[in-house]
Amino acid sequence: MLNPNVLSYFYIAKTKNPMSKSKHFSTKSVFSQLIYLIDPKIIRDSALESKSNRYTKKFTSKDHLISMLFCCFAKCNSLREVSGAMLGLSGKTQNFYLNHIPKRSTLSDANKNRSVEFFAHIYNKLLIRYGNELSDSRIKEVLGKEVKLVDSTTISLFKNILSCVGRKPKDGKSKGGIKVHSIINADERVPSFVWFTEAKTHDHRFLDRLKLGEDYIYVFDKGYNDYNAFKKFTESQTSFVTRIKDNARYDTVAINSLEPSIHSGVLEDSIIQIGKDKSLTLRKVRFYDRENKKEFEFITNLFDLRPDFIAALYKTRWQIELVFKQLKQNFPLKYFLGDNENAIKIQIYCTLIVNLLFMVIKKNLKRNWAFSNLVSFCKIHLFNHIHLMNFLENPEKDWIIDKQVEHQLCLF
């Protein structure tokens, strides 16, 4: 459950009206309750570490953060929309840290000039703060290692801010794009590490940024194939699972026998030598997926695990695809508030922060809410004084009470 200090932010204030028996009223708006999930100390420490308040007179890093989080919660698509909507908050900002409501030009300048590191620090500190609540340690308990999923997603941009998305069109007008490389722990639903590059950057370059060690198993698709990196993984006892390229050249050294207890989808379990000089020894598992009616070939340096476990490990990689889909469908990543690289990175980090806060809430709810419904509810009621956790646990309660009151009033 949530930390008691966090739960205190969802304080219930009873109404004085005797006819109203609502347990969902709060002295703080939904927006305030969401913002209070971020410890003020995290904001202060991040600002000091990144020196993001240097040369700032009025619009501080804290004000900038709250403004951009408002953009994500409210799904705003332009600077004008953000600044215009926030003008209505005049005199109501004491409950969510905001000291200065920005004008459009102020927010634009801040997005262009303030260090992205401030927002990165906020996100990483929140990961540490809520890591235990977001994590499900069952996979680590079974394998004795952390399974980390690696993938990237490309966000197309409206001009050549970051170059090259896809092939160059015949008219010569290529779109700009940013590639977001991510690592997600298999027992979580939020990225634990993010790296931005131009869309044209090849995926395998991200492998150099991975933390190596015998406690990790990295799972990624065949776009990350790099035999030099695989050799480093093996030498450092770092495990990996991926798909073999269709045009890969290798020699089969041995074929392992399949025990009766192995899943019948496993067609072959072999030892191969691969690479330019065939000096890299790996394991290849051929597996038929009946659900998708497709055959897959996996390569790995895990020689002790059952071959069907290798296939199951790779299947967990689809989880990172679901996270990317969740981010793109529920938050404003189709329209950006700036036409520069810095503004785009800030908006992506703020989206990740909001996604993490919603996952914290979802994890602490006994009632099963669809993520998209949870996001939509908070957007609609952003400045209503509803006790968020109580309402989400039992949204029908007040409706039933109100019906009873309405029936009593009809008697008169």
Side-chain angles (χ1 to χ4, degrees):
M1 291 298 290
L2 279 172
N3 185 290
N5 292 330
V6 177
L7 280 173
S8 65
Y9 298 140
F10 297 109
Y11 170 76
I12 305 174
K14 295 181 179 180
T15 58
K16 296 181 180 180
N17 185 352
M19 295 299 293
S20 173
K21 300 181 181 180
S22 172
K23 302 294 183 183
H24 298 329
F25 177 77
S26 172
T27 56
K28 295 181 176 67
S29 66
V30 169
F31 184 52
S32 299
Q33 294 170 62
L34 292 168
I35 294 300
Y36 265 75
L37 290 173
I38 306 175
D39 192 326
K41 187 178 184 300
I42 290 178
I43 300 176
R44 289 195 301 270
D45 291 348
S46 299
L48 288 172
E49 291 169 14
S50 61
K51 300 179 181 178
S52 57
N53 281 328
R54 182 181 289 182
Y55 310 122
T56 300
K57 294 181 180 179
K58 197 171 183 181
F59 192 55
T60 64
S61 299
K62 179 179 65 176
D63 294 331
H64 190 186
L65 174 68
I66 304 303
S67 301
M68 290 302 297
L69 293 184
F70 171 79
C71 167
C72 297
F73 284 125
K75 298 185 181 181
C76 298
N77 294 322
S78 68
L79 287 169
R80 190 184 299 276
E81 193 174 343
V82 176
S83 59
M86 293 190 74
L87 283 175
L89 303 180
S90 298
K92 305 175 184 177
T93 60
Q94 65 273 14
N95 284 331
F96 46 86
Y97 308 144
L98 190 65
N99 295 322
H100 180 70
I101 297 176
K103 294 182 179 179
R104 184 180 59 167
S105 59
T106 304
L107 186 56
S108 176
D109 291 341
N111 281 341
K112 185 177 181 179
N113 299 317
R114 180 161 277 126
S115 172
V116 178
E117 292 303 312
F118 167 70
F119 300 90
H121 285 318
I122 294 283
Y123 181 70
N124 292 328
K125 289 179 187 298
L126 286 173
L127 276 176
I128 296 171
R129 166 67 182 80
Y130 292 111
N132 292 335
E133 295 176 29
L134 294 171
S135 179
D136 181 353
S137 60
R138 285 176 295 180
I139 295 177
K140 187 175 180 180
E141 289 174 358
V142 172
L143 298 175
K145 297 184 177 184
E146 291 184 24
V147 178
K148 294 182 176 291
L149 314 177
V150 179
D151 204 354
S152 66
T153 186
T154 300
I155 300 172
S156 298
L157 306 176
F158 43 83
K159 62 185 296 186
N160 267 340
I161 302 168
L162 292 157
S163 61
C164 191
V165 175
R167 296 181 179 179
K168 196 166 185 178
K170 293 180 180 179
D171 59 8
K173 297 180 179 179
S174 60
K175 291 182 178 179
I178 188 169
K179 184 175 283 189
V180 183
H181 304 264
S182 302
I183 301 174
I184 293 181
N185 295 332
D187 51 8
E188 297 177 2
R189 290 295 298 272
V190 294
S192 60
F193 181 80
V194 179
W195 184 49
F196 301 107
T197 65
E198 294 181 341
K200 66 181 180 181
T201 303
H202 197 281
D203 286 339
H204 77 86
R205 288 186 57 189
F206 185 56
L207 297 180
D208 294 334
R209 293 182 167 263
L210 301 184
K211 184 178 180 180
L212 304 183
E214 60 182 7
D215 295 330
Y216 304 113
I217 300 176
Y218 289 102
V219 183
F220 39 82
D221 66 18
K222 58 185 177 182
Y224 287 87
N225 268 226
D226 184 334
Y227 300 136
N228 290 329
F230 294 169
K231 191 173 182 179
K232 289 180 182 177
F233 281 16
T234 304
E235 290 172 350
S236 62
Q237 298 183 326
T238 305
S239 306
F240 71 90
V241 176
T242 186
R243 287 173 61 191
I244 192 170
K245 282 189 173 181
D246 298 332
N247 61 351
R249 296 182 179 181
Y250 57 89
D251 294 333
T252 301
V253 177
I255 297 179
N256 301 324
S257 59
L258 300 177
E259 299 177 3
S261 60
I262 300 298
H263 191 284
S264 59
V266 178
L267 304 178
E268 184 183 293
D269 180 15
S270 59
I271 306 299
I272 65 172
Q273 289 182 333
I274 199 169
K276 290 182 179 180
D277 53 359
K278 305 291 176 63
S279 62
L280 181 61
T281 302
L282 297 175
R283 182 185 186 185
K284 182 170 76 74
V285 174
R286 193 156 57 92
F287 184 84
Y288 181 74
D289 186 348
R290 294 190 182 89
E291 185 179 346
N292 297 308
K293 297 181 179 180
K294 188 176 180 180
E295 187 177 301
F296 296 93
E297 287 187 319
F298 309 112
I299 55 173
T300 180
N301 59 358
L302 288 165
F303 295 95
D304 299 329
L305 279 184
R306 290 167 44 132
D308 44 0
F309 280 13
I310 301 298
L313 270 175
Y314 188 83
K315 193 171 183 179
T316 62
R317 197 194 68 82
W318 288 105
Q319 182 173 313
I320 197 169
E321 300 283 354
L322 296 176
V323 173
F324 289 149
K325 186 177 180 181
Q326 176 175 294
L327 288 168
K328 288 183 174 181
Q329 288 185 346
N330 292 285
F331 303 108
L333 288 176
K334 292 181 179 179
Y335 304 96
F336 288 89
L337 305 188
D339 59 355
N340 58 84
E341 183 178 342
N342 201 71
I344 291 163
K345 289 180 179 180
I346 286 175
Q347 189 165 337
I348 293 173
Y349 263 120
C350 287
T351 298
L352 293 174
I353 292 170
V354 170
N355 179 71
L356 187 151
L357 296 181
F358 277 124
M359 286 304 300
V360 169
I361 292 172
K362 192 175 188 302
K363 275 279 188 177
N364 283 277
L365 287 173
K366 295 179 182 178
R367 188 186 181 94
N368 186 24
W369 275 76
F371 187 85
S372 57
N373 291 344
L374 180 61
V375 174
S376 296
F377 170 84
C378 290
K379 178 193 173 184
I380 294 170
H381 297 284
L382 204 57
F383 292 105
N384 287 343
H385 287 253
I386 296 172
H387 187 287
L388 186 59
M389 297 299 287
N390 279 10
F391 187 90
L392 292 174
E393 289 288 14
N394 193 357
E396 296 90 359
K397 189 172 183 179
D398 263 11
W399 170 249
I400 296 170
I401 293 175
D402 289 344
K403 278 290 185 181
Q404 293 172 348
V405 173
E406 182 182 351
H407 177 71
Q408 292 173 6
L409 290 174
C410 288
L411 296 177
F412 298 97

